Amino acid sequence: MIDVLVVDDDFRLVNIHRGFVERTPGFRAVASARSGEETLAALDEHRPDLVLLDLYLPDVFGLDLVRRMRAEGHETDVMVISAARESDAVRAAVRLGVVSYLLKPFSFNDFQDRLEQYANTRAGLALAVRDQADVDRAFERTGSATLMPKGFSTETAQLVEATLRDADGSLSAAECAERIGVSRVSARRYLEQLAERGRAEVALKYAGRGRPERRYRWR
């Protein structure tokens, strides 16, 4: 059973998200918090496996809270659940090792999919490491870009992946580039790499007589 701490300053959303957790097999909500200080106290008391973290708390920005958690020795996994769409927030979340970033509003199915992905990753990382192949598979399960081809940035790859995963539908390279602050050419390279790895699908959109636009969707 995976124990979850739900953090949000809106008590209505706390109750909704706790209900979503309880409806997902293998998960249980052990506590909730509505501020940074309440979160730290709940971490000390309950030692959850996963924190569902809103970024806009009354006493601290969520990502600053993650830094404080780590400084105080809390190694609990963190999944951001927020309306924050700023590229700086997404980029900082990637750097801090946030396991997933789900944009509000979302459906129960979206929420459950993320929890199940987390559970699968957690189970995969618990396996014994016998050789390099096991290490490589572990990094694949976490979505890590450590094994990217030469000339690719791990941080940028993770940003592109997170942006595509959270997109409402498909994205063009230009749209992806605008969201994360890189060039269109660079975004397309990373999107094509995701498609080659089978993590994204590509469709052509025809408009007028020009070249068709390539659009990418998370698989």
Side-chain angles (χ1 to χ4, degrees):
M1 188 67 68
I2 296 174
D3 291 342
V4 180
L5 168 62
V6 178
V7 181
D8 200 294
D9 68 331
D10 187 328
F11 74 92
R12 294 166 300 182
L13 291 180
V14 166
N15 291 334
I16 290 171
H17 296 164
R18 287 193 68 143
F20 282 2
V21 170
E22 296 295 343
R23 288 170 59 187
T24 304
F27 290 82
R28 64 182 175 189
V30 295
S32 59
R34 295 177 57 191
S35 69
E37 290 303 320
E38 288 183 9
T39 299
L40 293 171
L43 286 169
D44 287 332
E45 180 178 356
H46 298 280
R47 298 292 174 179
D49 303 299
L50 178 66
V51 176
L52 303 182
L53 179 65
D54 182 30
L55 294 186
Y56 298 124
L57 300 175
D59 56 346
V60 65
F61 185 59
L63 296 180
D64 291 331
L65 177 60
V66 175
R67 295 184 180 93
R68 184 172 171 186
M69 288 166 53
R70 301 302 183 234
E72 295 187 7
H74 295 293
E75 297 182 355
T76 305
D77 290 327
V78 176
M79 180 183 300
V80 168
I81 296 180
S82 177
R85 297 172 179 268
E86 296 85 354
S87 60
D88 287 347
V90 177
R91 189 176 291 111
V94 171
R95 292 196 189 103
L96 289 170
V98 168
V99 299
S100 190
Y101 195 115
L102 183 59
L103 290 173
K104 298 176 181 177
F106 50 83
S107 68
F108 169 67
N109 288 337
D110 291 334
F111 181 91
Q112 188 176 57
D113 285 346
R114 291 308 177 86
L115 289 190
E116 289 176 348
Q117 289 172 13
Y118 169 75
N120 291 336
T121 298
R122 181 183 172 89
L125 293 177
L127 298 177
V129 175
R130 296 160 299 185
D131 52 29
Q132 183 64 46
D134 287 336
V135 175
D136 293 346
R137 279 190 291 271
F139 276 101
E140 277 296 307
R141 288 189 183 99
T142 61
S144 169
T146 301
L147 303 177
M148 298 294 290
K150 184 177 180 180
F152 281 73
S153 160
T154 297
E155 179 182 313
T156 303
Q158 291 175 331
L159 282 173
V160 170
E161 181 174 324
T163 301
L164 187 61
R165 187 190 291 119
D166 290 328
D168 183 13
S170 63
L171 286 179
S172 67
E175 291 166 342
C176 181
E178 182 178 358
R179 295 189 185 192
I180 64 175
V182 300
S183 71
R184 181 188 61 79
V185 173
S186 180
R188 179 167 178 172
R189 290 178 63 220
Y190 286 91
L191 289 166
E192 288 291 333
Q193 209 277 336
L194 284 174
E196 291 174 4
R197 293 167 58 197
R199 307 191 70 144
E201 57 185 24
V202 185
L204 298 180
K205 180 180 179 181
Y206 292 87
R209 297 182 178 181
R211 296 176 58 185
E213 179 183 56
R214 294 176 67 83
R215 300 195 64 83
Y216 304 84
R217 183 187 301 270
W218 184 255
R219 302 187 67 173

